[in-house]
Amino acid sequence: MRRKIICLLACSPILLGAPLRAGDYLENYIGEFIREVVQVEGLTSSQANALCIDGDVLYCGAGRHIFSLDITRDPVSPSLLSSVEIYGLVRQMTVQDGILYAACRESGVWIIDVSNPCNLRLITRFDPVELATGIEVAGNVLFLGTRQNGVECVDVSDPAHPVHIRMEKTDESQSVTYRDGILYSGEWGGHAVTVIDARDMANLKTLRKVNLQGYGDGVWTSGNYLYAATGHHLTDKSIPWQDRTGKGHGLEIFDISKPAHPSFVSRIGFDECFRRSNDFWTPRPCSDGKYVIVADTFNGLYVVGTKDPAHPVLLSRLSFTRNNGEDAAVTSVAIGKGTVYISVSGGCGFYALVCPDVYPDDKGKGKPPVNASYRDTYPTARVSHFRAWKPDLVAPVRGVAVNGDILYAACANGGLSILRYGKKGAVDVLGKGPMAYAGDVKVSGELLWVAEGFAGLAVYRIGPGAELELVARYTDFFKDGPNAACLWVFTPTDNIVAAGTRTGEFYYLDVSSLPKIRFKAYLGMGPGWDKYLSNRADSHGWYPATRHKVGLMWINLNEEKLREIKDDTLVPSLTDGVCLFRDDTFLTCKDGAVYVYSSQKMGTAKYGEGEGFFGMPVWDGGKRLGLTYRIEKTISMGDVKAGVEPLLLWSEKTSGYPETGVFCKGKFVVPCGYQGLLIEK
């Protein structure tokens, strides 16, 4: 049975009743564009987030599930063909040559064989440089928007074995679209579209940035036009008040008849809306160029008439309200023949909109990129403070731990490498760990903790020759659902370990009675990439973590029931970390200055004005402070001698993306992605 609403009055808003959700709101401003709204039955409604159409098949992403549906017989009531379960939250999807690529933010990219839509088959998962948000495929190259780290290019000539090609740094890539050798990247906080020459992977280069009035995200091309959906906030304060409709929310249209030189054509504003969750925006044009459908999350769905691109008009709007009275976000949109499909958050699910005037758009990607087999070497300069060690495989170094003169390097799909730090900084490879994947690694006493992805969290006893003996394994990451992968690990005390899946908070585990591991609490910051937890707790059992735009969160690990206490005397930024410092204090940086916290005072004190102190700090126990700032790709060293103003000694740009480092024999050692493991000279 169809659940539907019929719009009877073309020019009047209608409050919807029981058939969908109380308070749903449909308005056809010009004509009766949206004729009927029907909920798609038979799919999970939890975290409906992504849609795409390939031929006669509609693909729906909801939480950890991807569904295939036949839209040929009854487009408004498509029939379920198959489904596959993954791990993570599907953000965007695209299909090429029978292969579906799903960007799932924290859990990376999932590659699925959809050559038989009745039998979806999981092929593999690719671990990107950072969170996978935007996704596009052209020929043998997969393009990934990875937030502040930019666009990652991946060789998918063999979809079962994707291989990293290179990165192109941009402001904050959230969505990407390719057309005839040009890649357009929607930059969120950068409020721009970055135009990238992507014809040749061996010669990738940014051509220019095109500014937007609002924060950027969704981008799409059709014919001679580029469409960019934007949201909060309005960025150009010089715009006259009468032209500030939506305060950043709207659709901007650019002429790309010269693909490398987009020229502004027009903009139409939507309603004002500021919500920090689901803050992304998706435009999809119809094939005849007369309409663009925009998912504007909590603002709902907008239909824009673009028959005259220079003078777009608003035709319709549809928004949703959950049963508890809160707004629900329209998170994605896909266009079929006479039907628009949308996904709606908050447990609302998927909907088919009967719109007789719409037709699907085959935007055409044109000539694909060449040289997909190219691999960036990520060089380390001769004048660098570091020398680099790289694994045999093309794999990023994600984490490092030290035990005496032994270094354990977590190399993602390259596994765990065991290295000996020798004279003059030389390293000898002693061997590899027994695991296929190592996302992170820590040493606590004689124990080695390894985040082994889908194999869970493993703990090994370190032998006298650096050999590893498995002691215990923990796989019950139940808060994040089945198939959750352990990707990060921290060792705040010898009895408590914190493990993370990147999708949410941290699992605090009691490891005092190995091989038994007992779950204690699920606490911490929301999803992200930078490692905000301190390396160790203080002698009183207090353990802090910085939380972006919130403050410092304290946990007393000596308590049986763990809880968080918020301290907002200093509000950190996206890249500010915290580490244990002298005299049982903790150190963090903000705006280039250095601050210390004390668990006994629950407040901050400015340690010194400092200059240039940014990123994730690590103290060597003496007077050196190492910092890694992955967004700006820098490593810095500071002098923090007691009683003296902190002094920045040096700062160095990297070709890779530096993670939190450690000190070994007085030298700073930094995992730096595809640049390798950097060891201070």
Side-chain angles (χ1 to χ4, degrees):
M1 177 179 177
R2 291 182 177 178
R3 305 175 69 183
K4 63 183 180 180
I5 23 156
I6 307 292
C7 182
L8 300 177
L9 300 176
C11 298
S12 301
I14 298 176
L15 291 179
L16 307 180
L20 286 176
R21 311 285 176 186
D24 291 357
Y25 182 88
L26 169 65
E27 185 168 5
N28 278 323
Y29 299 99
I30 301 175
E32 195 175 345
F33 192 89
I34 300 176
R35 303 286 181 87
E36 186 178 349
V37 181
V38 181
Q39 186 167 24
V40 177
E41 302 286 358
L43 306 182
T44 176
S45 61
S46 175
Q47 296 178 309
N49 218 42
L51 291 163
C52 72
I53 292 177
D54 182 54
D56 296 328
V57 180
L58 171 69
Y59 295 96
C60 303
R64 295 183 296 273
H65 297 85
I66 294 176
F67 303 93
S68 58
L69 296 93
D70 181 1
I71 56 175
T72 57
R73 297 182 181 179
D74 187 352
V76 180
S77 296
S79 55
L80 179 64
L81 298 175
S82 181
S83 67
V84 65
E85 187 174 14
I86 59 168
Y87 155 62
L89 176 63
V90 183
R91 169 73 161 78
Q92 292 184 19
M93 300 184 295
T94 189
V95 179
Q96 176 181 274
D97 297 334
I99 303 295
L100 183 145
Y101 303 88
C104 298
R105 280 182 60 85
E106 295 81 2
S107 70
V109 177
W110 294 80
I111 302 177
I112 298 164
D113 183 347
V114 296
S115 57
N116 179 2
C118 295
N119 183 25
L120 304 189
R121 183 177 63 86
L122 178 63
I123 300 176
T124 191
R125 183 185 79 95
F126 177 76
D127 211 11
V129 164
E130 216 238 55
L131 306 185
T133 55
I135 193 162
E136 173 75 294
V137 63
N140 290 327
V141 179
L142 181 69
F143 297 101
L144 303 175
T146 63
R147 300 200 314 169
Q148 288 92 349
N149 297 278
V151 178
E152 181 171 7
C153 306
V154 182
D155 181 354
V156 290
S157 54
D158 178 1
H161 300 93
V163 182
H164 172 87
I165 299 172
R166 63 183 304 163
M167 291 290 300
E168 183 70 7
K169 180 74 171 71
T170 68
D171 290 333
E172 191 173 3
S173 180
Q174 293 279 27
S175 295
V176 286
T177 187
Y178 176 93
R179 171 85 167 276
D180 272 328
I182 301 297
L183 186 76
Y184 303 96
S185 171
E187 311 295 329
W188 197 85
H191 44 82
V193 174
T194 300
V195 183
I196 300 170
D197 184 342
R199 293 174 295 178
D200 184 351
M201 288 297 99
N203 191 31
L204 196 74
K205 55 181 178 292
T206 294
L207 300 176
R208 59 188 45 83
K209 286 201 312 182
V210 179
N211 291 329
L212 303 171
Q213 286 190 24
Y215 277 27
D217 192 333
V219 287
W220 199 259
T221 60
S222 179
N224 287 329
Y225 295 98
L226 168 72
Y227 301 94
T230 66
H232 53 259
H233 311 275
L234 182 71
T235 57
D236 186 353
K237 305 304 181 184
S238 66
I239 297 174
W241 280 102
Q242 63 270 22
D243 296 329
R244 294 188 180 186
T245 306
K247 289 189 176 178
H249 281 267
L251 176 71
E252 297 192 28
I253 303 174
F254 296 87
D255 185 336
I256 54 170
S257 53
K258 296 180 179 179
H261 299 270
S263 60
F264 179 78
V265 175
S266 64
R267 173 183 174 85
I268 186 170
F270 299 152
D271 295 80
E272 294 181 19
C273 177
F274 180 79
R275 292 283 292 273
R276 288 312 301 255
S277 62
N278 283 300
D279 44 9
F280 50 89
W281 311 283
T282 305
R284 291 293 183 266
C286 298
S287 62
D288 57 8
K290 293 181 180 179
Y291 311 103
V292 178
I293 317 296
V294 183
D296 197 41
T297 61
F298 291 101
N299 251 341
L301 185 83
Y302 291 86
V303 180
V304 179
T306 53
K307 184 177 180 180
D308 179 0
H311 300 92
V313 294
L314 186 59
L315 302 180
S316 299
R317 181 190 179 195
L318 174 65
S319 60
F320 291 80
T321 305
R322 299 166 61 184
N323 287 333
N324 63 5
E326 296 181 356
D327 292 337
V330 178
T331 52
S332 186
V333 59
I335 298 176
K337 185 177 180 179
T339 310
V340 173
Y341 301 95
I342 62 173
S343 57
V344 186
S345 71
C348 295
F350 297 92
Y351 294 84
L353 315 183
V354 178
C355 305
D357 294 334
V358 304
Y359 293 88
D361 171 56
D362 179 10
K363 68 171 183 173
K365 298 174 186 177
K367 189 175 182 180
V370 299
N371 283 330
S373 61
Y374 173 80
R375 304 291 182 261
D376 194 326
T377 60
Y378 291 95
T380 300
R382 290 181 59 188
V383 295
S384 170
H385 292 86
F386 299 91
R387 57 175 54 88
W389 171 88
K390 293 183 180 181
D392 293 335
L393 293 175
V394 179
V397 182
R398 293 237 188 269
V400 63
V402 59
N403 183 40
D405 63 351
I406 304 298
L407 295 168
Y408 298 91
C411 303
N413 58 295
L416 183 77
S417 290
I418 305 172
L419 314 171
R420 185 184 299 278
Y421 179 84
K423 295 180 180 179
K424 297 183 179 180
V427 294
D428 298 319
V429 179
L430 300 183
K432 291 180 67 68
M435 65 291 298
Y437 177 90
D440 198 9
V441 60
K442 294 291 188 299
V443 168
S444 179
E446 63 175 8
L447 299 177
L448 183 76
W449 299 85
V450 185
E452 297 187 1
F454 298 102
L457 173 66
V459 54
Y460 299 88
R461 184 166 284 107
I462 302 172
E467 64 273 11
L468 302 177
E469 176 191 358
L470 182 65
V471 175
R473 187 177 298 277
Y474 184 85
T475 59
D476 192 14
F477 296 98
F478 61 97
K479 293 286 187 179
D480 293 319
N483 303 325
C486 181
L487 300 172
W488 283 343
V489 60
F490 294 82
T491 53
T493 73
D494 292 341
N495 294 326
I496 299 292
V497 166
T501 67
R502 291 195 204 131
T503 61
E505 300 175 344
F506 279 86
Y507 295 76
Y508 284 83
L509 307 172
D510 183 342
V511 298
S512 60
S513 301
L514 292 174
K516 182 180 179 180
I517 299 178
R518 182 173 67 91
F519 171 80
K520 282 184 68 72
Y522 185 63
L523 298 167
M525 83 285 183
W529 187 275
D530 288 310
K531 299 169 182 178
Y532 303 100
L533 276 65
S534 173
N535 54 330
R536 296 288 286 181
D538 68 12
S539 62
H540 305 282
W542 286 100
Y543 187 54
T546 55
R547 187 176 296 180
H548 177 46
K549 293 192 174 181
V550 175
L552 197 73
M553 309 303 292
W554 294 93
I555 302 174
N556 191 328
L557 299 179
N558 292 333
E559 296 179 349
E560 178 58 32
K561 187 174 182 181
L562 302 185
R563 59 193 176 91
E564 287 186 306
I565 299 174
K566 183 173 76 170
D567 176 3
D568 59 2
T569 53
L570 182 71
V571 179
S573 74
L574 183 67
T575 58
D576 298 322
V578 59
C579 70
L580 188 64
F581 194 48
R582 67 169 58 93
D583 302 325
D584 242 9
T585 61
F586 295 93
L587 179 148
T588 191
C589 308
K590 180 176 173 58
D591 298 329
V594 180
Y595 296 81
V596 293
Y597 299 83
S598 169
S599 66
Q600 302 307 294
K601 297 179 182 178
M602 288 296 177
T604 62
K606 205 168 191 179
Y607 174 48
E609 291 295 334
E611 183 178 348
F613 287 83
F614 296 96
M616 314 298 286
V618 179
W619 181 50
D620 74 342
K623 64 176 185 178
R624 302 182 81 212
L625 183 74
L627 300 112
T628 53
Y629 189 10
R630 61 174 289 117
I631 291 178
E632 294 300 326
K633 302 171 65 174
T634 59
I635 302 175
S636 304
M637 184 62 62
D639 185 333
V640 288
K641 184 178 179 180
V644 179
E645 183 84 3
L647 174 66
L648 187 69
L649 299 175
W650 52 262
S651 184
E652 176 179 323
K653 278 282 188 180
T654 64
S655 61
Y657 290 81
E659 307 273 4
T660 306
V662 298
F663 281 94
C664 176
K665 300 293 185 179
K667 301 297 185 180
F668 197 33
V669 180
V670 179
C672 201
Y674 289 96
Q675 190 179 350
L677 184 67
L678 302 187
I679 303 167
E680 191 178 9
K681 294 176 181 177

